[in-house]
Amino acid sequence: MVSAHSILAFAAMSLLVIVIPGPSVLFVIGRALAHGRRTALATVLGNLLGSYLLVIAVAWGLGALVETSAAVFTGVKLAGAAYLVYLGVQAFRHRKEMRAADMDAPAGERRGDLRTIADGILVGVTNPKGIVFFAAVLPQFVDHSAGHLPLQMMLLGLVPVAIGLITDTLWGLGASAARSWLARSDRRLSMVGAAGGFAMIGLGLTVAATGRAD
């Protein structure tokens, strides 16, 4: 249904957009610095699920509403920004409770993982960069003569998700490795956690100040 040419062209476009670090990448890095590898990887998963929810919204017409309505777009953007600031404040407040042994928590903290994934979903689905990209770019690569436009967009949407899975995971692992290297003492680990918190707060403020390209 979707031609190989469309898939390759959209993959190239997606790669160009994804390699430029945006809110999702910076969020993963902030979470990795604040909480370690396990949280970073769960964040990547949640972020990608949130991004694909944007694909579904665009495929079924909701994305067009968000993109064309300044009020709706601003509301979604500010909700995501406020949550980023909240997560950053929480990371900063609890920075002294971190220990190097907690960087890879034992399997059994399932509730914590699910909450982390939910955090990633919320940030991913309110990412202004993702909203604009999927609403403005994705529809250009469907074949209108072939019909089944929502299905075409949902299939094409898997391409940037797959690319993001690779790149975001590498960013998360890299930031986690840096955290491991710096975490030689509780004091330094606390400073790293604070840096991650400040990174998320700064990201939230940046997202809130980001305008919409009309």
PDB file of all heavy atoms in Angstrom, residues 7 19 21 46 67-68 70 78 84 90-91 97-98 103 133 140-141 153-154 163 171 184 187-189 200 205-206:
ATOM      1  N   ILE A   7       8.497   5.381   1.623  1.00  0.00           N
ATOM      2  CA  ILE A   7       9.093   4.992   2.901  1.00  0.00           C
ATOM      3  C   ILE A   7      10.521   5.522   3.011  1.00  0.00           C
ATOM      4  O   ILE A   7      10.912   6.095   4.036  1.00  0.00           O
ATOM      5  CB  ILE A   7       9.080   3.458   3.062  1.00  0.00           C
ATOM      6  CG1 ILE A   7       7.629   2.958   3.189  1.00  0.00           C
ATOM      7  CG2 ILE A   7       9.890   3.038   4.275  1.00  0.00           C
ATOM      8  CD1 ILE A   7       7.506   1.458   3.243  1.00  0.00           C
ATOM      9  N   VAL A  19      17.900  13.716  14.098  1.00  0.00           N
ATOM     10  CA  VAL A  19      19.295  13.870  14.521  1.00  0.00           C
ATOM     11  C   VAL A  19      19.541  15.223  15.178  1.00  0.00           C
ATOM     12  O   VAL A  19      20.548  15.409  15.870  1.00  0.00           O
ATOM     13  CB  VAL A  19      20.265  13.699  13.335  1.00  0.00           C
ATOM     14  CG1 VAL A  19      20.232  12.287  12.805  1.00  0.00           C
ATOM     15  CG2 VAL A  19      19.978  14.700  12.224  1.00  0.00           C
ATOM     16  N   PRO A  21      18.841  17.344  18.102  1.00  0.00           N
ATOM     17  CA  PRO A  21      18.236  17.104  19.423  1.00  0.00           C
ATOM     18  C   PRO A  21      17.088  18.068  19.717  1.00  0.00           C
ATOM     19  O   PRO A  21      17.230  19.280  19.563  1.00  0.00           O
ATOM     20  CB  PRO A  21      19.412  17.334  20.390  1.00  0.00           C
ATOM     21  CG  PRO A  21      20.623  17.062  19.571  1.00  0.00           C
ATOM     22  CD  PRO A  21      20.289  17.558  18.184  1.00  0.00           C
ATOM     23  N   GLY A  46       8.463   5.208  26.621  1.00  0.00           N
ATOM     24  CA  GLY A  46       7.275   6.039  26.775  1.00  0.00           C
ATOM     25  C   GLY A  46       7.220   7.162  25.763  1.00  0.00           C
ATOM     26  O   GLY A  46       6.155   7.453  25.196  1.00  0.00           O
ATOM     27  N   GLU A  67      -2.862  21.436  14.940  1.00  0.00           N
ATOM     28  CA  GLU A  67      -1.953  22.254  14.143  1.00  0.00           C
ATOM     29  C   GLU A  67      -2.608  23.550  13.679  1.00  0.00           C
ATOM     30  O   GLU A  67      -1.962  24.594  13.621  1.00  0.00           O
ATOM     31  CB  GLU A  67      -1.474  21.441  12.939  1.00  0.00           C
ATOM     32  CG  GLU A  67      -0.627  22.221  11.941  1.00  0.00           C
ATOM     33  CD  GLU A  67       0.661  22.777  12.524  1.00  0.00           C
ATOM     34  OE1 GLU A  67       1.024  22.381  13.639  1.00  0.00           O
ATOM     35  OE2 GLU A  67       1.287  23.630  11.873  1.00  0.00           O
ATOM     36  N   THR A  68      -3.890  23.499  13.339  1.00  0.00           N
ATOM     37  CA  THR A  68      -4.543  24.688  12.800  1.00  0.00           C
ATOM     38  C   THR A  68      -5.095  25.605  13.887  1.00  0.00           C
ATOM     39  O   THR A  68      -5.293  26.788  13.650  1.00  0.00           O
ATOM     40  CB  THR A  68      -5.698  24.293  11.861  1.00  0.00           C
ATOM     41  OG1 THR A  68      -6.624  23.445  12.566  1.00  0.00           O
ATOM     42  CG2 THR A  68      -5.160  23.532  10.653  1.00  0.00           C
ATOM     43  N   ALA A  70      -4.552  27.653  17.091  1.00  0.00           N
ATOM     44  CA  ALA A  70      -3.488  28.203  17.932  1.00  0.00           C
ATOM     45  C   ALA A  70      -3.777  27.942  19.406  1.00  0.00           C
ATOM     46  O   ALA A  70      -2.872  27.659  20.196  1.00  0.00           O
ATOM     47  CB  ALA A  70      -3.347  29.700  17.674  1.00  0.00           C
ATOM     48  N   LEU A  78       1.779  23.990  26.543  1.00  0.00           N
ATOM     49  CA  LEU A  78       1.982  24.438  27.911  1.00  0.00           C
ATOM     50  C   LEU A  78       1.789  23.303  28.917  1.00  0.00           C
ATOM     51  O   LEU A  78       2.452  23.268  29.953  1.00  0.00           O
ATOM     52  CB  LEU A  78       1.031  25.597  28.231  1.00  0.00           C
ATOM     53  CG  LEU A  78       1.326  26.906  27.493  1.00  0.00           C
ATOM     54  CD1 LEU A  78       0.309  27.977  27.885  1.00  0.00           C
ATOM     55  CD2 LEU A  78       2.742  27.387  27.778  1.00  0.00           C
ATOM     56  N   LEU A  84       7.182  18.967  32.338  1.00  0.00           N
ATOM     57  CA  LEU A  84       8.641  18.894  32.323  1.00  0.00           C
ATOM     58  C   LEU A  84       9.235  19.649  33.509  1.00  0.00           C
ATOM     59  O   LEU A  84      10.163  19.160  34.171  1.00  0.00           O
ATOM     60  CB  LEU A  84       9.180  19.478  31.010  1.00  0.00           C
ATOM     61  CG  LEU A  84       9.083  18.579  29.780  1.00  0.00           C
ATOM     62  CD1 LEU A  84       9.387  19.379  28.520  1.00  0.00           C
ATOM     63  CD2 LEU A  84      10.034  17.401  29.894  1.00  0.00           C
ATOM     64  N   GLN A  90      11.102  17.883  40.862  1.00  0.00           N
ATOM     65  CA  GLN A  90      11.131  16.659  41.666  1.00  0.00           C
ATOM     66  C   GLN A  90      12.524  16.052  41.684  1.00  0.00           C
ATOM     67  O   GLN A  90      13.006  15.594  42.727  1.00  0.00           O
ATOM     68  CB  GLN A  90      10.116  15.649  41.115  1.00  0.00           C
ATOM     69  CG  GLN A  90       8.665  16.048  41.328  1.00  0.00           C
ATOM     70  CD  GLN A  90       8.316  16.127  42.804  1.00  0.00           C
ATOM     71  OE1 GLN A  90       8.224  17.222  43.376  1.00  0.00           O
ATOM     72  NE2 GLN A  90       8.135  14.991  43.449  1.00  0.00           N
ATOM     73  N   ALA A  91      13.184  16.024  40.514  1.00  0.00           N
ATOM     74  CA  ALA A  91      14.539  15.479  40.450  1.00  0.00           C
ATOM     75  C   ALA A  91      15.492  16.299  41.309  1.00  0.00           C
ATOM     76  O   ALA A  91      16.350  15.752  42.002  1.00  0.00           O
ATOM     77  CB  ALA A  91      15.018  15.451  38.994  1.00  0.00           C
ATOM     78  N   GLU A  97      18.904  12.058  47.757  1.00  0.00           N
ATOM     79  CA  GLU A  97      18.485  10.701  48.101  1.00  0.00           C
ATOM     80  C   GLU A  97      19.078   9.670  47.157  1.00  0.00           C
ATOM     81  O   GLU A  97      18.861   8.474  47.326  1.00  0.00           O
ATOM     82  CB  GLU A  97      16.960  10.609  48.061  1.00  0.00           C
ATOM     83  CG  GLU A  97      16.275  11.569  49.023  1.00  0.00           C
ATOM     84  CD  GLU A  97      14.777  11.583  48.840  1.00  0.00           C
ATOM     85  OE1 GLU A  97      14.260  10.700  48.120  1.00  0.00           O
ATOM     86  OE2 GLU A  97      14.119  12.477  49.401  1.00  0.00           O
ATOM     87  N   MET A  98      19.823  10.117  46.140  1.00  0.00           N
ATOM     88  CA  MET A  98      20.373   9.202  45.146  1.00  0.00           C
ATOM     89  C   MET A  98      21.602   8.496  45.702  1.00  0.00           C
ATOM     90  O   MET A  98      22.366   9.034  46.481  1.00  0.00           O
ATOM     91  CB  MET A  98      20.746   9.960  43.876  1.00  0.00           C
ATOM     92  CG  MET A  98      19.562  10.620  43.212  1.00  0.00           C
ATOM     93  SD  MET A  98      20.062  11.525  41.739  1.00  0.00           S
ATOM     94  CE  MET A  98      18.495  12.223  41.278  1.00  0.00           C
ATOM     95  N   MET A 103      21.386   3.217  40.499  1.00  0.00           N
ATOM     96  CA  MET A 103      21.332   3.623  39.098  1.00  0.00           C
ATOM     97  C   MET A 103      20.657   2.574  38.226  1.00  0.00           C
ATOM     98  O   MET A 103      20.036   2.891  37.238  1.00  0.00           O
ATOM     99  CB  MET A 103      22.742   3.922  38.590  1.00  0.00           C
ATOM    100  CG  MET A 103      23.290   5.203  39.195  1.00  0.00           C
ATOM    101  SD  MET A 103      24.679   5.803  38.263  1.00  0.00           S
ATOM    102  CE  MET A 103      25.842   4.495  38.534  1.00  0.00           C
ATOM    103  N   PHE A 133       5.838  18.262  13.080  1.00  0.00           N
ATOM    104  CA  PHE A 133       6.405  17.356  12.085  1.00  0.00           C
ATOM    105  C   PHE A 133       5.352  16.398  11.540  1.00  0.00           C
ATOM    106  O   PHE A 133       5.196  16.249  10.316  1.00  0.00           O
ATOM    107  CB  PHE A 133       7.566  16.569  12.686  1.00  0.00           C
ATOM    108  CG  PHE A 133       8.166  15.557  11.739  1.00  0.00           C
ATOM    109  CD1 PHE A 133       8.929  15.960  10.659  1.00  0.00           C
ATOM    110  CD2 PHE A 133       7.944  14.205  11.930  1.00  0.00           C
ATOM    111  CE1 PHE A 133       9.473  15.037   9.781  1.00  0.00           C
ATOM    112  CE2 PHE A 133       8.479  13.269  11.061  1.00  0.00           C
ATOM    113  CZ  PHE A 133       9.244  13.683   9.992  1.00  0.00           C
ATOM    114  N   GLN A 140       2.250  14.520   3.566  1.00  0.00           N
ATOM    115  CA  GLN A 140       2.812  14.759   2.239  1.00  0.00           C
ATOM    116  C   GLN A 140       3.345  13.486   1.586  1.00  0.00           C
ATOM    117  O   GLN A 140       3.606  13.467   0.382  1.00  0.00           O
ATOM    118  CB  GLN A 140       3.944  15.787   2.331  1.00  0.00           C
ATOM    119  CG  GLN A 140       3.507  17.147   2.847  1.00  0.00           C
ATOM    120  CD  GLN A 140       4.662  18.117   2.915  1.00  0.00           C
ATOM    121  OE1 GLN A 140       5.629  18.007   2.159  1.00  0.00           O
ATOM    122  NE2 GLN A 140       4.573  19.083   3.820  1.00  0.00           N
ATOM    123  N   PHE A 141       3.520  12.425   2.354  1.00  0.00           N
ATOM    124  CA  PHE A 141       4.142  11.213   1.833  1.00  0.00           C
ATOM    125  C   PHE A 141       3.144  10.082   1.582  1.00  0.00           C
ATOM    126  O   PHE A 141       3.539   8.960   1.283  1.00  0.00           O
ATOM    127  CB  PHE A 141       5.238  10.734   2.798  1.00  0.00           C
ATOM    128  CG  PHE A 141       6.443  11.627   2.809  1.00  0.00           C
ATOM    129  CD1 PHE A 141       6.482  12.746   3.625  1.00  0.00           C
ATOM    130  CD2 PHE A 141       7.523  11.364   1.978  1.00  0.00           C
ATOM    131  CE1 PHE A 141       7.587  13.584   3.633  1.00  0.00           C
ATOM    132  CE2 PHE A 141       8.630  12.191   1.977  1.00  0.00           C
ATOM    133  CZ  PHE A 141       8.668  13.299   2.801  1.00  0.00           C
ATOM    134  N   MET A 153      -0.647   6.476   6.798  1.00  0.00           N
ATOM    135  CA  MET A 153       0.073   7.338   7.731  1.00  0.00           C
ATOM    136  C   MET A 153       0.530   6.578   8.972  1.00  0.00           C
ATOM    137  O   MET A 153       1.623   6.823   9.501  1.00  0.00           O
ATOM    138  CB  MET A 153      -0.806   8.530   8.117  1.00  0.00           C
ATOM    139  CG  MET A 153      -0.888   9.579   7.027  1.00  0.00           C
ATOM    140  SD  MET A 153      -1.694  11.118   7.551  1.00  0.00           S
ATOM    141  CE  MET A 153      -3.391  10.739   7.138  1.00  0.00           C
ATOM    142  N   MET A 154      -0.290   5.627   9.441  1.00  0.00           N
ATOM    143  CA  MET A 154       0.106   4.844  10.598  1.00  0.00           C
ATOM    144  C   MET A 154       1.295   3.943  10.282  1.00  0.00           C
ATOM    145  O   MET A 154       2.172   3.737  11.136  1.00  0.00           O
ATOM    146  CB  MET A 154      -1.083   4.028  11.105  1.00  0.00           C
ATOM    147  CG  MET A 154      -2.171   4.897  11.729  1.00  0.00           C
ATOM    148  SD  MET A 154      -3.683   3.986  12.155  1.00  0.00           S
ATOM    149  CE  MET A 154      -3.079   2.890  13.416  1.00  0.00           C
ATOM    150  N   ILE A 163      13.526   4.853  14.012  1.00  0.00           N
ATOM    151  CA  ILE A 163      14.754   5.653  14.032  1.00  0.00           C
ATOM    152  C   ILE A 163      14.970   6.249  15.418  1.00  0.00           C
ATOM    153  O   ILE A 163      16.083   6.237  15.967  1.00  0.00           O
ATOM    154  CB  ILE A 163      14.695   6.765  12.972  1.00  0.00           C
ATOM    155  CG1 ILE A 163      14.642   6.155  11.570  1.00  0.00           C
ATOM    156  CG2 ILE A 163      15.899   7.698  13.097  1.00  0.00           C
ATOM    157  CD1 ILE A 163      14.431   7.175  10.468  1.00  0.00           C
ATOM    158  N   TRP A 171      21.438   8.045  22.983  1.00  0.00           N
ATOM    159  CA  TRP A 171      21.575   9.237  23.823  1.00  0.00           C
ATOM    160  C   TRP A 171      21.417   8.877  25.303  1.00  0.00           C
ATOM    161  O   TRP A 171      22.194   9.340  26.147  1.00  0.00           O
ATOM    162  CB  TRP A 171      20.521  10.271  23.445  1.00  0.00           C
ATOM    163  CG  TRP A 171      20.844  11.120  22.259  1.00  0.00           C
ATOM    164  CD1 TRP A 171      20.244  11.107  21.035  1.00  0.00           C
ATOM    165  CD2 TRP A 171      21.847  12.142  22.177  1.00  0.00           C
ATOM    166  NE1 TRP A 171      20.809  12.042  20.191  1.00  0.00           N
ATOM    167  CE2 TRP A 171      21.792  12.697  20.867  1.00  0.00           C
ATOM    168  CE3 TRP A 171      22.786  12.645  23.083  1.00  0.00           C
ATOM    169  CZ2 TRP A 171      22.634  13.714  20.453  1.00  0.00           C
ATOM    170  CZ3 TRP A 171      23.629  13.667  22.665  1.00  0.00           C
ATOM    171  CH2 TRP A 171      23.541  14.187  21.370  1.00  0.00           C
ATOM    172  N   ARG A 184      31.096   8.884  41.628  1.00  0.00           N
ATOM    173  CA  ARG A 184      32.097   8.248  42.486  1.00  0.00           C
ATOM    174  C   ARG A 184      31.855   8.553  43.960  1.00  0.00           C
ATOM    175  O   ARG A 184      32.516   7.996  44.820  1.00  0.00           O
ATOM    176  CB  ARG A 184      33.494   8.717  42.095  1.00  0.00           C
ATOM    177  CG  ARG A 184      33.847   8.476  40.628  1.00  0.00           C
ATOM    178  CD  ARG A 184      33.832   7.009  40.293  1.00  0.00           C
ATOM    179  NE  ARG A 184      34.032   6.794  38.877  1.00  0.00           N
ATOM    180  CZ  ARG A 184      35.031   6.072  38.371  1.00  0.00           C
ATOM    181  NH1 ARG A 184      35.910   5.514  39.179  1.00  0.00           N
ATOM    182  NH2 ARG A 184      35.130   5.916  37.075  1.00  0.00           N
ATOM    183  N   ARG A 187      28.034  12.916  46.963  1.00  0.00           N
ATOM    184  CA  ARG A 187      27.970  14.350  46.700  1.00  0.00           C
ATOM    185  C   ARG A 187      27.965  14.632  45.207  1.00  0.00           C
ATOM    186  O   ARG A 187      27.179  15.438  44.713  1.00  0.00           O
ATOM    187  CB  ARG A 187      29.149  15.050  47.373  1.00  0.00           C
ATOM    188  CG  ARG A 187      29.162  16.564  47.178  1.00  0.00           C
ATOM    189  CD  ARG A 187      30.264  17.196  48.005  1.00  0.00           C
ATOM    190  NE  ARG A 187      30.291  18.636  47.817  1.00  0.00           N
ATOM    191  CZ  ARG A 187      30.981  19.248  46.857  1.00  0.00           C
ATOM    192  NH1 ARG A 187      31.692  18.525  46.005  1.00  0.00           N
ATOM    193  NH2 ARG A 187      30.959  20.565  46.733  1.00  0.00           N
ATOM    194  N   ARG A 188      28.859  13.962  44.490  1.00  0.00           N
ATOM    195  CA  ARG A 188      28.905  14.191  43.045  1.00  0.00           C
ATOM    196  C   ARG A 188      27.653  13.645  42.368  1.00  0.00           C
ATOM    197  O   ARG A 188      27.151  14.231  41.414  1.00  0.00           O
ATOM    198  CB  ARG A 188      30.158  13.562  42.447  1.00  0.00           C
ATOM    199  CG  ARG A 188      31.405  14.391  42.673  1.00  0.00           C
ATOM    200  CD  ARG A 188      32.598  13.779  42.019  1.00  0.00           C
ATOM    201  NE  ARG A 188      32.909  12.459  42.562  1.00  0.00           N
ATOM    202  CZ  ARG A 188      34.131  11.916  42.569  1.00  0.00           C
ATOM    203  NH1 ARG A 188      35.146  12.571  42.052  1.00  0.00           N
ATOM    204  NH2 ARG A 188      34.343  10.723  43.067  1.00  0.00           N
ATOM    205  N   LEU A 189      27.158  12.512  42.867  1.00  0.00           N
ATOM    206  CA  LEU A 189      25.936  11.956  42.301  1.00  0.00           C
ATOM    207  C   LEU A 189      24.771  12.915  42.526  1.00  0.00           C
ATOM    208  O   LEU A 189      23.916  13.102  41.659  1.00  0.00           O
ATOM    209  CB  LEU A 189      25.631  10.599  42.926  1.00  0.00           C
ATOM    210  CG  LEU A 189      24.427   9.844  42.358  1.00  0.00           C
ATOM    211  CD1 LEU A 189      24.611   9.583  40.874  1.00  0.00           C
ATOM    212  CD2 LEU A 189      24.211   8.546  43.104  1.00  0.00           C
ATOM    213  N   MET A 200      15.821  19.517  32.851  1.00  0.00           N
ATOM    214  CA  MET A 200      14.404  19.336  32.545  1.00  0.00           C
ATOM    215  C   MET A 200      13.608  20.618  32.791  1.00  0.00           C
ATOM    216  O   MET A 200      12.681  20.932  32.041  1.00  0.00           O
ATOM    217  CB  MET A 200      13.840  18.173  33.362  1.00  0.00           C
ATOM    218  CG  MET A 200      14.239  16.817  32.811  1.00  0.00           C
ATOM    219  SD  MET A 200      13.482  15.440  33.697  1.00  0.00           S
ATOM    220  CE  MET A 200      14.535  15.333  35.129  1.00  0.00           C
ATOM    221  N   LEU A 205      10.815  25.285  30.271  1.00  0.00           N
ATOM    222  CA  LEU A 205      10.687  26.714  30.001  1.00  0.00           C
ATOM    223  C   LEU A 205      10.905  27.024  28.526  1.00  0.00           C
ATOM    224  O   LEU A 205      10.240  27.885  27.946  1.00  0.00           O
ATOM    225  CB  LEU A 205      11.689  27.493  30.859  1.00  0.00           C
ATOM    226  CG  LEU A 205      11.471  27.404  32.383  1.00  0.00           C
ATOM    227  CD1 LEU A 205      12.574  28.143  33.118  1.00  0.00           C
ATOM    228  CD2 LEU A 205      10.102  27.947  32.770  1.00  0.00           C
ATOM    229  N   THR A 206      11.860  26.290  27.901  1.00  0.00           N
ATOM    230  CA  THR A 206      12.120  26.494  26.471  1.00  0.00           C
ATOM    231  C   THR A 206      10.915  26.088  25.632  1.00  0.00           C
ATOM    232  O   THR A 206      10.520  26.789  24.692  1.00  0.00           O
ATOM    233  CB  THR A 206      13.349  25.687  26.034  1.00  0.00           C
ATOM    234  OG1 THR A 206      14.490  26.108  26.801  1.00  0.00           O
ATOM    235  CG2 THR A 206      13.636  25.891  24.557  1.00  0.00           C
TER     236      THR A 206
END
